[in-house]
Amino acid sequence: MTSAELATWRSLLDTTAELRRVLGTELQETGLSPADYQVLLALSEANGKRMRSSELARTIDWERSRLSHHLGRMEGRGLVRREGCATDSRGAEVTLTAEGARVFRRATAPHMRSIKRHFADALTPYQLAALRDVLRSLQHHRVEEGRR
């Protein structure tokens, strides 16, 4: 690896970690942790606002045990509900509750403003397009590596 490649990699790591920290801190002001928001986002986009827990774990790229513990905490706050799966007695479905949808909606506008302020506003339209192209290239490369 060249020193320029390594410096670019470190810059990516440091910048994304700082963005996650700042955005996470601001998101918590809405009463949701970044992990809560990730779960609620996936459920809000799911058909019927529900998903099998195994599918939810894959969607947000979490270990099933981590998801199970986190869902227990979210369930205790009334944000989600877990029920047995009607088509598979071994599985469970996670449903976004009315309270979860309300809290998610309330948090989304301030979260989007934070993303705009700390991320999008820092870049020109050209830089945003270039970054989108770079990220697509990285995603394509990972997919191709996975096929080998």
Side-chain angles (χ1 to χ4, degrees), residues 110-145:
H111 187 50
M112 291 300 113
R113 284 192 298 272
S114 291
I115 292 169
K116 179 143 177 46
R117 183 174 59 253
H118 297 295
F119 173 72
D121 287 350
L123 303 171
T124 67
Y126 174 80
Q127 289 171 320
L128 280 169
L131 180 57
R132 185 174 48 251
D133 289 345
V134 166
L135 295 172
R136 284 182 184 151
S137 293
L138 287 169
Q139 290 168 342
H140 178 74
H141 180 73
R142 291 293 306 137
V143 167
E144 291 302 313
E145 275 188 342

Side-chain angles (χ1 to χ4, degrees), residues 49-114:
K49 311 290 186 218
R50 64 187 318 123
M51 296 176 88
R52 291 199 44 157
S53 58
S54 57
E55 179 185 358
L56 178 57
R58 274 192 308 278
T59 299
I60 63 176
D61 195 28
W62 284 12
E63 295 292 325
R64 288 170 72 169
S65 62
R66 175 186 180 194
L67 179 62
S68 179
H69 290 292
H70 196 80
L71 289 175
R73 291 187 293 275
M74 292 179 76
E75 199 170 21
R77 292 165 44 215
L79 303 175
V80 299
R81 183 175 58 252
R82 288 186 281 190
E83 302 166 334
C85 182
T87 59
D88 179 0
S89 61
R90 296 172 296 152
E93 283 191 327
V94 182
T95 304
L96 180 64
T97 64
E99 175 65 5
R102 185 189 69 73
V103 169
F104 177 74
R105 280 191 309 274
R106 190 185 73 222
T108 295
H111 187 50
M112 291 300 113
R113 284 192 298 272
S114 291

